[in-house]
Amino acid sequence: GSVDNTATASDGETTNQDDENVLLPAQLSISVVKTGVFQDDTAADGFAQAGETIDYSFEVTNDSASTVNNVSVSDPLVPAITCPGGNPIPSLAGGASVTCTGTYTLLQGDVDLGQVDNTVTVDSDETPPASDDETVPLVQNPSFTIVKTGEFQDESGDGFAQPGETIAYTIEVTNDGFVTLNNISVTDPKVTPITCPGGNPIPSLAPGASVQCTGSYSIVEADITLGRVDNTA
C-alpha cells in the first residue's frame, strides 16, 4: 500500500539522506451474486401465472481488504430490497458478505415470455459498480377448449328438414391456461365461413377469456336421408 525509499547525497566529506513514503490508493472492489426462485404460491400446480412471485437473494461481498461504505443494492424489477442494517448497507468490512432479499410479482407478459430476466447492481462510496444478471425460467401451460353447438333453422316453419334449410352453429373458444394465445384459427369442413370477433384467426385470447364464433351449414338431401348432420370444429 505504499512505497518507502531513501535518497542519499554525498560530496565525499558530507552525506545527507532523506526518505519518503508514498501512499498507494488501493483498488477496492465489491461483487454480487443473484439467485431467483419461482414461488408457485397461487395455484400450486407447477405452472406460472400472473400474480405469483419470484423470491430473490443478493449476496454482496467486499472483495477488498478495507472497509467499504454506503453499499447500495438496486434492481429495476425489485424496488424493495432489504439488507441487514438497511439499504444502503452502512459499511461492509474487508472480505465480509451480506445477503439481501426482495420479491418480484409476475406480470402476464412474463408468463407469456416464459422467463424473467433482470440485473442487480451494487455500488459504494469507494468502489466501481458491480452487477449480476439472472434468468428465472417459468413453466407455461398453453391450453384452450372448444365447445360447439348447432341448432336447426326451420326456415319453412313446417317442422321438417328440407334441402336448403340451415343449421346455425356457435363455436365457443376458451383459453383455460395461463398463457396468452395468439392466432387461433377455427375451422370446420362443413361450415364456411366461420366468423369470430376480431377476425378468424382470432388475433389473441387472454387467460380465462372466451369468444363465440358463428357459422351456418345448408342441409343437402343426403343429410335428410341420414337424419342428422355430423361435423367437427
Side-chain angles (χ1 to χ4, degrees):
S2 64
V3 174
D4 297 306
N5 61 329
T6 302
T8 302
S10 176
D11 62 1
E13 297 179 359
T14 304
T15 300
N16 286 312
Q17 292 182 325
D18 188 35
D19 55 17
E20 178 74 0
N21 177 273
V22 178
L23 298 177
L24 302 178
Q27 177 63 57
L28 306 181
S29 67
I30 53 177
S31 60
V32 59
V33 176
K34 169 181 171 182
T35 57
V37 179
F38 165 61
Q39 303 298 312
D40 186 16
D41 49 13
T42 300
D45 55 6
F47 301 113
Q49 56 184 297
E52 293 185 322
T53 59
I54 297 174
D55 284 348
Y56 287 104
S57 64
F58 311 90
E59 186 178 38
V60 181
T61 300
N62 182 354
D63 299 318
S64 313
S66 302
T67 297
V68 295
N69 301 285
N70 294 318
V71 182
S72 61
V73 185
S74 60
D75 187 311
L77 290 186
V78 188
I81 297 177
T82 303
C83 304
N87 187 5
I89 303 162
S91 65
L92 192 59
S97 296
V98 297
T99 299
C100 305
T101 57
T103 298
Y104 172 68
T105 300
L106 298 180
L107 303 176
Q108 186 60 51
D110 302 318
V111 179
D112 295 342
L113 185 62
Q115 62 186 39
V116 174
D117 302 305
N118 58 327
T119 300
V120 63
T121 300
V122 295
D123 200 358
S124 76
D125 290 347
E126 296 83 8
T127 65
S131 63
D132 187 34
D133 54 20
E134 173 82 349
T135 298
V136 177
L138 304 174
V139 181
Q140 299 172 309
N141 74 324
S143 174
F144 63 88
T145 60
I146 179 172
V147 177
K148 170 181 170 182
T149 57
E151 183 177 352
F152 167 57
Q153 307 295 301
D154 186 15
E155 281 90 351
S156 66
D158 61 3
F160 300 106
Q162 304 172 45
E165 293 186 318
T166 61
I167 298 174
Y169 287 101
T170 299
I171 303 168
E172 184 175 58
V173 181
T174 300
N175 182 349
D176 63 349
F178 301 132
V179 180
T180 301
L181 303 176
N182 301 288
N183 295 319
I184 304 169
S185 61
V186 185
T187 61
D188 188 311
K190 290 188 176 181
V191 184
T192 304
I194 296 176
T195 303
C196 304
N200 186 6
I202 302 164
S204 66
L205 194 59
S210 297
V211 297
Q212 287 191 338
C213 304
T214 57
S216 64
Y217 169 70
S218 295
I219 297 170
V220 299
E221 188 64 46
D223 301 320
I224 298 172
T225 300
L226 185 63
R228 67 180 187 272
V229 173
D230 298 317
N231 61 327
T232 301

